[in-house]
Amino acid sequence: MKIAILGAGVSGLSLARMLCAGGLALADLTLFEAAAVPGGLCRSKTVDGFTYDVSGGHILFSKDRAVMQWMKDQAGGDAAFVQRERHTKIRFGNRFVHYPFENGLGDLPELAKFECLKGYVEAWHARDKHGTQAPGDFKSWIRWRFGEGIARHFMDPYNEKIWKRPLQELSSSWVAGRVPDAPIDDVLKAAIGVRTEGYLHQASFFYPRRGGFQAITDGMAASLSARIRLSTPVQDLVRAQDGGWRVNGEPFDVLVSTLPLNELPDLIPAMPAGVAAAMRGLAYNSIVTLLVALDRPAHPDLSWIYLPHHEQGPVNRVTYMSNYSPELAPAGKTSFLLEVTFPGGAPVPGAELEREALAGVEGAALLRKEEILFVDRSVCTYAYIVYDHELFARRSAALEWCAANQIQALGRFGHYDYFNSDQCVIAARTLAGTLLERARSG
Ligand SMILES: Cc1cc2nc3c(=O)[nH]c(=O)nc-3n(C[C@H](O)[C@H](O)[C@H](O)COP(=O)(O)OP(=O)(O)OC[C@H]3O[C@@H](n4cnc5c(N)ncnc54)[C@H](O)[C@@H]3O)c2cc1C
């Protein structure tokens, strides 16, 4: 059974590793990868001794302990990782507010604290006593869940920055399990100054000691390298008479695609127009990341900081990259990673972005210009899935067509799920089980 895996990101690589571990011959697998190195969104880059994750700071954590261990084992096991406590803050004027925001109300100026608390209690009362249902659009959902004060002081501006569109155009469906949901007692305690944590899910995380997050996908790729065709973009996919697929003219029995669904119509000319339109219409955001190398020996033990407010510039998150592992910066230096999103399909922001980003971060008193050694920039086209109101219908049309035509759709943009890398591995594990069963039954 000849299997083509399109894309050598964490999804394609982990699928290949699991198929081999399950007994499939390596020679039966071919991975097609457009980039010169494997890893996809998990890639990292090193410049003058500073290493950063090109699509935004990545951390390793998972509710599935077996998967997390498997991922660590790919890159050398426990000893190859450092464990860190998550210290995350929100920059609010000249203050640091505990994250999640509703567990940090006590850190706010008095009036903002009052407005947020009042709104939170009103929203809780409406839900708890009157049983109001979660609204379908994200802007209304924020008010339903957090109230007017938190909406205005944090949720609205932060989400407008990251999603780059009016929040009523977004569905509230993606927030389940993603936006922290604190008990009211914790919020009240936090507001009067009793520390409550909230959101313990990623309270501690792992990160590769060396090489950035890419060390994980490098580890996966090592034993597969003979079968990964780098710098080999898939340009042409044609359904074969026998039910298989031809990839760039080469026949395969099974086709697994981790490529963004948005790209498939250009590769499959025979795709029906309605399906092609659905795939092309799937919304996404892109990201620019800026590594800021700093001539500064030490800085607070922070993991990352959210910059929610427009006056803080275009950056939505500053990752304290060199705090993830001491190996990510030369001795005595530190690094920040700034993230700025832009709408998928829009022109890539020019040089003015760097000026605005640095001015915003300096204005928030997180760095001083004199400390900057250099800035390195990366752009990642497919970064965030945008849950607009059309997403579910479009994705269903896309995936139903893939299933009917024997394309195994896998991965964050391959299946259009808001997946972290561990969830990609979990999905790959399920698909590997199915394919191995099929191989066994002949
Ligand atoms: C800002 C941000 C922060 C994140 N933080 C975390 C985190 O902290 N922890 C975590 O676990 N996850 C995190 N993630 C998610 C994680 O990066 C993804 O879930 C994961 O990397 C997706 O892997 P994938 O293999 O599905 O897709 P991709 O990595 O996108 O892989 C697809 C591959 O296909 C290749 N390709 C595309 N077109 C073609 C073509 N025509 N021919 C051949 N190859 C092609 C691409 O080059 C790429 O290598 C984050 C993501 C972002 C954007």
Side-chain angles (χ1 to χ4, degrees), residues 7-12 32-35 39-43 55-59 213 232-234 258-260 287 317 339 383-384 411-412 419-422 424:
V10 71
S11 297
F32 293 83
E33 172 53 54
L41 285 168
C42 293
R43 281 202 298 266
S55 56
H58 276 53
I59 59 173
F213 203 77
T232 308
V234 176
T258 74
L259 274 40
I287 194 169
R317 181 166 82 138
E339 294 174 21
Y384 286 102
R412 181 164 164 120
F419 276 178
N420 274 335
S421 64
D422 63 313
C424 293

Side-chain angles (χ1 to χ4, degrees), residues 231-252:
S231 306
T232 308
V234 176
Q235 288 165 328
D236 185 36
L237 293 172
V238 178
R239 191 86 200 270
Q241 301 286 352
D242 61 3
W245 280 85
R246 299 182 81 82
V247 181
N248 295 350
E250 201 177 326
F252 290 91

Side-chain angles (χ1 to χ4, degrees), residues 7 35 55 59 90 100 152 165 175 186 188 194 201 209 223 266 272 305-306 342-343 352 359 363 373:
S55 56
I59 59 173
I90 297 155
R152 197 159 53 78
R165 62 200 81 208
V175 294
D186 281 7
L188 295 174
V194 180
H201 171 42
R209 193 173 293 281
S223 67
D266 289 344
I305 291 177
Y306 296 103
F342 63 100
E352 74 286 354
L373 295 168

Side-chain angles (χ1 to χ4, degrees), residues 7 13 32 44 76-77 92 100 107 166-167 248 264 280 330 333-334 343 370 387 391 409 429:
L13 292 169
F32 293 83
S44 308
F92 195 99
D107 298 328
L167 300 182
N248 295 350
L264 290 188
R280 288 198 172 101
K333 315 285 184 211
T334 65
E370 316 79 85
Y387 279 74
L391 178 107
R429 184 176 60 185

Side-chain angles (χ1 to χ4, degrees), residues 325-349:
S325 163
E327 308 275 342
L328 295 187
K333 315 285 184 211
T334 65
S335 61
F336 287 176
L337 185 59
L338 317 183
E339 294 174 21
V340 182
T341 60
F342 63 100
V348 178

